[in-house]
Amino acid sequence: MSEFRSIGEPLDVSNDDLDKAIEEMGVPSVVTPKKKMSQKKKTEAIANSVIDDPDVAFQVKIPKSVRKQIRNRAVDEDTSARHLILLGLQSIGFDVSEDALRDRRRS
């Protein structure tokens, strides 16, 4: 069985002296996290901080019938599936720039 040590009395040290000792010893400080940012504000911050927003591949599985509808509409509207999907995302509140909506197919 292990023995327990009793904890000594608290030190009589001012907060300033304690802060100085902590700094000198290089002890990391506890940081209070900032107030959480709402999802809308996060989206706005990301959109505002992006100067060059390159395209990236993003793959999802969707029903074959939906893929067929997207392709058919793209043909009917002489646009791309990418354009239709970005329009759909924009319509539900995603921040999609006008530049991103531009048709990037070769002419």
Side-chain angles (χ1 to χ4, degrees):
M1 217 184 213
S2 63
E3 294 184 30
F4 291 100
R5 289 187 311 152
S6 61
I7 298 174
E9 294 294 318
L11 298 175
D12 186 24
V13 179
S14 72
N15 284 337
D16 290 336
D17 289 340
L18 186 57
D19 288 340
K20 183 179 176 185
I22 287 172
E23 188 175 326
E24 287 173 359
M25 294 184 339
V27 177
S29 61
V30 176
V31 178
T32 305
K34 294 179 181 178
K35 186 177 175 184
K36 285 191 174 183
M37 194 182 295
S38 71
Q39 187 60 42
K40 183 177 180 180
K41 290 216 182 259
K42 283 181 189 176
T43 303
E44 289 172 0
I46 290 169
N48 291 336
S49 68
V50 175
I51 295 170
D52 182 28
D53 196 5
D55 288 347
V56 294
F58 185 77
Q59 183 178 358
V60 296
K61 290 201 174 251
I62 59 173
K64 190 174 185 177
S65 61
V66 174
R67 183 183 71 179
K68 186 175 182 179
Q69 291 175 68
I70 292 170
R71 287 180 174 175
N72 288 340
R73 171 129 353 146
V75 169
D76 291 345
E77 296 183 11
D78 191 30
T79 191
S80 65
R82 174 188 177 280
H83 181 251
L84 291 176
I85 291 167
L86 288 174
L87 279 175
L89 291 169
Q90 187 182 53
S91 75
I92 61 171
F94 284 84
D95 185 22
V96 180
S97 70
E98 290 303 315
D99 184 56
L101 287 172
R102 188 172 41 88
D103 192 348
R104 296 183 181 175
R105 295 176 298 165
R106 294 181 183 170
S107 300

